[in-house]
Structures are given as C-alpha cells and as structure tokens.
Amino acid sequence: MTQIDVSQEGQESTHSVFENYLYAAYSANDSSNPLSTTSINPIFTNFSVFDASGDNTSTSVFESGALRLSYNLANAVSLSNVRLEALLSDRVVSTLGSWNEANLSNELINLASFANFTGGSYQLRAVVRTTNDQEFSSASQAMNVLSWNRLNGTFTGETIDYTPELGTGAVIMGRGGTDTLNLSGIFPSNITSINGISLAAFNPLSGSTTNQAIFGGTAFDYINLADGREIYLQGIERLRFSDSSIFELQVRTNDTFFGSQWNLHISDVGSAWRFTQGVSNVLLASLDTGILTAAGASGDIVDIATNRLITDPSDDDNFNNYGHGHSAISIMSSTANNSSGISGINWNSSVYVNDVYRGVSLQQAIRDTINYARARNQRVVFQGGIQGNWFSSGGTREQLEQLIRDNSDIAIFAIAAGNGGPGGNLSDSNYLTSVSGVAQLETTHDNMISVGALRNTSATTKINGLTNATSVNIASYSNRGSNLTLMAATDSPAMDKFGSMRFFGGTSAANPNMAGIASLVWSVNSNLTGGQVRQILTDTAMDLGTPGRDNSFGYGLVNADAAVRRASALQRSSDLASLYSGRSIFV
C-alpha cells in the first residue's frame, strides 16, 4: 500500500497576493494543458495539504493513508466548486474530492477511497471553478506517497525480520508476547528519529507516545531512517540493530516476580504502560471476597498501598484461606516497582473493595460503588469473581439488569465466565454452550464482558528474562458458548493475603486481568462509554481458534497495547481514527 504526505503552509505577507501566489486560469472546455498559465487571478489566499497521520513527515503519506486539506478563497462570489487534484509528470491522475465552500479547514481525505493513488511523487493543487466555467489553480505542493508492506506476529514472543525488500514503507504488527524487530542492515546511526525524537532521548515512561502516527484507525510508533524509509510498528518490545545492540521499547518493572507474569507478556501490558499506568479518574472495583483480614486472623496487605483502597467494615477476605479477593485485586492493581511481589496492571487508580460473599449483597455493592464514582466524576471497572446464580443477590434480576444498563456511560463489568467444566468448582451441564450467571448478560448489555480462562500449555519459555507462551488453550473448566466475549490469561502470579506469591487460577484470575486492561483503556480516553470500551477490547483482541469470533475463544485474547492504542487514536484524532471501525481496524 502507499502513503502520501503533503505539507505546505499558506504564505502570509503584508504585500499583495500577487507576490505570493500564481494561479492558472483556463476554461473548462479548454483542451490545452491545464497547467499552462493563461491568466493570473488572486483567488486563493491560502492552500495547504499535508499527511494527517501526525508523524513528522508531513509531505510523505502512506498509500491508503489520509490527508488534511485547508484553503481560503477571496472574491468567491461566483464560486461553483473547488477540487483537489493529484498530478504525476504534469498529468492529472486523480481528483481527491470536491467542495462548495469558500473556506475549508483541516478537511479529512481518506486515500483508501482512491485505488489509483499509489506510490510515487505527486504534485497536489486545488482548482476553483466559477459559475461562468472559468477555473483557477492554486500553487502546487509536493506529496510523496509511500507504498508499504506488512509483517504480522502472533501471541507468541518472536523475532520479526525487517529487510530493505519491504520497500520505502513498512507496517510491523508484533501483537502478543515479547517481540523483537530485527533491523537487518540498520545501525543506530541510521535512525533519524523514533516518534520524532532521537534514540538517545527516548524514554518508554516519559513522552514516548506523544507524537505517534495514526494510521488504519490506531496509533503506531514510527521510525524514520536517514535514507527516507519509514517503519510503522506496534506490539514490538525490542529493536535489534545490525551491530547486535538492543533498544528496549516496553516498560519493565523491578518487581521480584515480574519475569514470571506471563499474563502481562502475552497481552502486551508492558507496551501499554508506555501510554498509562492508570489515572485517578478511573476507579477499579472488586466484586469478590474482599481484601481485609479479620481481627485476630493471620494475613496483611503488603502488595498495594492502603491509601488506594476503599473498604468498609463488612469486608472480610476469609472465604478462602489464602484470600481469593486479595489475589484478584493483586493482579489488577498491585503496586509496581517496589522491588518485591508482582506488578499490578493498573498502578495508580483507587480500588473500591466489596465483599459480596460475606458482606454486602451484589446489587448493593454495585450501587455503592457507582454512587462513589459518580460523586467524583470517575469511570468504574468492575472485576467480578462470581459464578452461578447471583441474579437475586440484593434484588430481582430485572433490578440488576436495570442497574447495569442505567450506568453504561461510566461502568463496565468484567465477570468470570465460570468454572463449570472438568476440574472446575461449579458443576454446569451447559458449560460448553453458555457462560455462567451474571456473565450471561453480555448478550443484552454492551458494558458486560464475560471472561474465559486461557492457559499456557507450553513449556516455560523465557525471552529476555520474561516468561512467554508458545502454545495456549482454553482451560478445560472454563465455560464457553455464543455468549463468551473474550479470553484472558489464568494461572497468573498474584500476591495472597500472607504476602506470598501464588499462581492464581480459574476464571477468577482471568477477569481481573481483563478489568485491569479495560481500566488502562479508559485511562487514556475518558470520553468513552462502557460499551465503547468493550468494543475496543473486542476489536483489538488477538484471534484464536477458528478465524473470526467462535464459541471456544469468543473474540480472542485481550491485547492491552492494541486496545490502548485504539483508544489513544480516538482521543487524539477522532475523525481520522473513526474512518475505521470493527474488524477493519488495523490489528
């Protein structure tokens, strides 16, 4: 495919327009060369067209990318229309749109609509047509369109080879796992910039995502090479140069068990942390067994700052002896970079803790949490370690559904699909055809996610000290069916209430992984509704099993980096990112 980038700002001067602009005027019926100047007329006072992606090459655009057009006309009383023309070797090869306005600002042009606008060096100009069939041309601007090739990764950690044969443009999609882009024939000195900054100034946790390119509905890192080549990439954790030097792109923490957290690495959480580690206007909420230990019992909170926890006297995490709710909250939100324990997915947001097993009812827990969030203008992400029939906990099923529906603007629910199959703790004869309990509401409520459990079925594979998976499958106990939304990793390292690391299993571990990732999506774009957050998570998931959505894996494995990039693109440039939706998003 190809990208064009045109950037030429309109010149401003205290002198006459004649001194800054030349215009070609010709009759619409004139068969002569349209570039020939037959008269001069100061109609255009401004003409600018540039690459819409936001990378730092405004006069170079990828094929099927997008342009931004602005112009201003003087003496436009007789205006009929204005069109944008692309010329190659002094010949008009494409008309990229037509408008009736005398003034236009940042009009978006989707080049994917013009199949003949392929790689090459073009001149772009605006042409105004008057009501008496006279036409006047603006000065032209150069635009270089880059054809490109694409390389795709999988959920595994792998090395992807970039070679000059890919051409002047390349799109590299690492997807899940700890992925390395091997830059054959390229040395650090050949890199002009990455995201508009030098390699020396690049810091994954500070400003590394500020100037990303938006292309195909999502945000990309971009690399500019000194010879003019451009590389768009996402889901890539490391660059390897021809001198064997390694350049790290992802965020790594110093926590003791970070390397063992395969759940983070398969879902590219370390790359998503470059965008956010959680914010104060997003609230995490646990519908589980709580986190506190009863007076006189053993246990304590050692893995999360207690000032991030909102608890009440009914919270008593003694339903399971190790702390079921504590382990779930640990995956979602443990403090990172304290040289101990694990890294939570969200490091910063507060956590509203509900003990729905031995404390408050489910509906009261949801209502209390939402009231707290609304009073503080927060979005709230619920993780629900609940299975079976919870519909009547605190009210009727109709009341529960209404509570979920009425708060879809600020609330999303990640609820365990259930452990109804072999080896699970919930006997469910329908586990192959339906998820369990409240998770079933995913069919009728767009802010509900039913979460299945994905297991690492491979031998331990370390990449740069990080555990990756080379094969995965749905856990035998995990419910499935047409109402399964997404998969997340289970058997995840978590801290228990005794301060020890344990591999937390079941769908009870999958849904806090999902909730933590959903909270990162909302952390970069608070304008989204709960349904839009779910849509982003499903649109950007890594497909597993049968191509497309299926009843064993739903829409696939959640990918934090891809989801956050989509949310970021919608936040930064909504009209450009919205050119793509659903599975047309570039993932």
Side-chain angles (χ1 to χ4, degrees):
M1 313 283 296
T2 307
Q3 175 178 357
I4 263 190
D5 184 10
V6 175
S7 176
Q8 181 177 334
E9 297 298 323
Q11 301 176 12
E12 296 182 0
S13 174
T14 57
H15 303 292
S16 74
V17 176
F18 284 96
E19 295 175 10
N20 290 322
Y21 297 94
L22 292 177
Y23 304 90
Y26 56 93
S27 168
N29 298 318
D30 188 354
S31 60
S32 63
N33 181 356
L35 286 177
S36 62
T37 301
T38 58
S39 67
I40 296 178
N41 195 308
I43 289 182
F44 283 96
T45 59
N46 174 62
F47 168 63
S48 171
V49 62
F50 58 90
D51 176 22
S53 71
D55 66 19
N56 64 343
T57 55
S58 60
T59 58
S60 176
V61 61
F62 272 34
E63 189 177 277
S64 75
L67 298 174
R68 295 277 185 189
L69 169 67
S70 297
Y71 65 77
N72 299 103
L73 293 173
N75 305 322
V77 176
S78 60
L79 170 67
S80 175
N81 59 67
V82 178
R83 66 181 184 270
L84 181 65
E85 294 181 338
L87 297 94
L88 192 63
S89 300
D90 292 344
R91 182 174 62 87
V92 176
V93 294
S94 185
T95 298
L96 303 178
S98 179
W99 301 267
N100 302 115
E101 294 88 354
N103 300 286
L104 203 66
S105 178
N106 286 321
E107 179 75 3
L108 188 63
I109 302 169
N110 186 2
L111 299 181
S113 303
F114 304 96
N116 62 337
F117 198 52
T118 56
S121 297
Y122 295 82
Q123 293 291 319
L124 302 183
R125 69 179 184 185
V127 178
V128 60
R129 184 175 183 176
T130 67
T131 54
N132 62 353
D133 292 335
Q134 290 292 305
E135 294 190 338
F136 301 92
S137 169
S138 72
S140 62
Q141 293 187 2
M143 183 61 63
N144 189 32
V145 177
L146 302 181
S147 10
W148 52 269
N149 292 284
R150 174 179 177 179
L151 294 177
N152 296 321
T154 66
F155 65 82
T156 65
E158 53 207 328
T159 296
I160 299 174
D161 291 321
Y162 171 84
T163 62
E165 287 71 28
L166 288 172
T168 54
V171 176
I172 313 294
M173 309 289 293
R175 306 297 283 141
T178 305
D179 297 314
T180 300
L181 180 60
N182 186 39
L183 296 166
S184 177
I186 298 174
F187 295 85
S189 59
N190 300 135
I191 303 292
T192 302
S193 64
I194 176 169
N195 295 347
I197 57 180
S198 68
L199 288 181
F202 185 92
N203 180 345
L205 269 175
S206 177
S208 72
T209 63
T210 303
N211 297 312
Q212 291 195 324
I214 299 175
F215 180 57
T218 186
F220 283 89
D221 292 305
Y222 61 92
I223 296 174
N224 299 121
L225 300 181
D227 61 8
R229 284 180 287 168
E230 295 183 34
I231 307 171
Y232 280 17
L233 59 143
Q234 67 173 247
I236 297 295
E237 282 68 45
R238 306 195 306 162
L239 305 177
R240 177 186 292 128
F241 295 102
S242 280
D243 60 2
S244 297
S245 62
I246 297 292
F247 187 81
E248 289 276 353
L249 295 176
Q250 73 168 336
V251 175
R252 296 172 65 107
T253 73
N254 62 17
D255 300 293
T256 306
F257 302 106
F258 174 68
S260 300
Q261 291 184 262
W262 81 282
N263 54 311
L264 304 184
H265 313 320
I266 196 173
S267 293
D268 280 351
V269 172
S271 294
W273 282 337
R274 289 176 50 201
F275 293 80
T276 183
Q277 305 88 47
V279 294
S280 61
N281 67 347
V282 174
L283 178 67
L284 294 163
S286 181
L287 303 171
D288 212 303
T289 67
I291 195 170
L292 297 179
T293 301
S298 59
D300 197 6
I301 299 171
V302 298
D303 54 306
I304 181 171
T306 55
N307 62 3
R308 290 175 59 198
L309 301 173
I310 300 103
T311 60
D312 64 54
S314 68
D315 176 14
D316 179 2
D317 194 7
N318 293 311
F319 184 82
N320 296 92
N321 60 1
Y322 59 85
H324 186 277
H326 191 132
S327 294
I329 291 171
S330 171
I331 289 172
M332 216 170 41
S333 52
S334 274
T335 300
N337 284 320
N338 60 0
S339 299
S340 67
I342 69 162
S343 303
I345 294 171
N346 183 320
W347 309 351
N348 298 319
S349 297
S350 295
V351 184
Y352 198 105
V353 182
N354 299 281
D355 182 353
V356 296
Y357 281 79
R358 293 185 175 179
V360 297
S361 69
L362 177 64
Q363 291 195 37
Q364 189 61 52
I366 295 172
R367 191 174 295 108
D368 289 346
T369 306
I370 286 176
N371 288 341
Y372 182 93
R374 285 203 180 276
R376 292 159 179 79
N377 195 29
Q378 294 174 310
R379 276 62 179 148
V380 56
V381 183
F382 290 90
Q383 78 84 15
I386 53 176
Q387 309 172 54
N389 185 12
W390 286 78
F391 288 112
S392 58
S393 176
T396 66
R397 174 170 178 153
E398 290 72 22
Q399 289 172 324
L400 175 62
E401 291 200 48
Q402 193 67 42
L403 184 59
I404 294 169
R405 184 182 300 112
D406 286 349
N407 294 286
S408 61
D409 57 331
I410 68 157
I412 191 168
F413 297 78
I415 306 295
N419 303 327
N425 64 341
L426 177 71
S427 179
D428 185 354
S429 60
N430 297 317
Y431 84 96
L432 290 174
T433 58
S434 178
V435 300
S436 170
V438 174
Q440 296 172 10
L441 297 181
E442 79 91 45
T443 303
T444 52
H445 298 71
D446 66 0
N447 59 330
M448 174 70 66
I449 304 171
S450 62
V451 188
L454 192 73
R455 302 193 85 164
N456 182 354
T457 58
S458 57
T460 299
T461 303
K462 292 278 190 179
I463 299 177
N464 196 27
L466 306 181
T467 299
N468 278 250
T470 57
S471 63
V472 295
N473 207 346
I474 185 171
S476 60
Y477 52 76
S478 185
N479 285 44
R480 55 209 79 176
S482 61
N483 51 14
L484 174 65
T485 314
L486 284 164
M487 306 297 293
T490 187
D491 302 331
S492 303
M495 302 306 292
D496 64 21
K497 68 180 187 179
F498 305 114
S500 301
M501 193 278 277
R502 63 183 295 118
F503 284 92
F504 188 39
T507 53
S508 294
N511 62 275
N513 273 292
M514 184 68 66
I517 291 171
S519 77
L520 298 184
V521 172
W522 238 333
S523 292
V524 298
N525 190 343
S526 62
N527 296 322
L528 301 168
T529 65
Q532 289 170 330
V533 171
R534 186 180 86 162
Q535 189 67 53
I536 286 174
L537 294 171
T538 58
D539 288 343
T540 57
M542 291 177 284
D543 194 24
L544 298 172
T546 304
R549 196 213 166 277
D550 61 68
N551 289 347
S552 293
F553 299 99
Y555 287 96
L557 173 63
V558 65
N559 184 280
D561 182 54
V564 166
R565 286 175 182 274
R566 170 63 172 166
S568 175
L570 288 167
Q571 171 74 13
R572 286 180 48 208
S573 186
S574 178
D575 60 343
L576 177 58
S578 296
L579 292 176
Y580 300 83
S581 62
R583 299 306 292 181
S584 73
I585 296 170
F586 211 154
V587 295

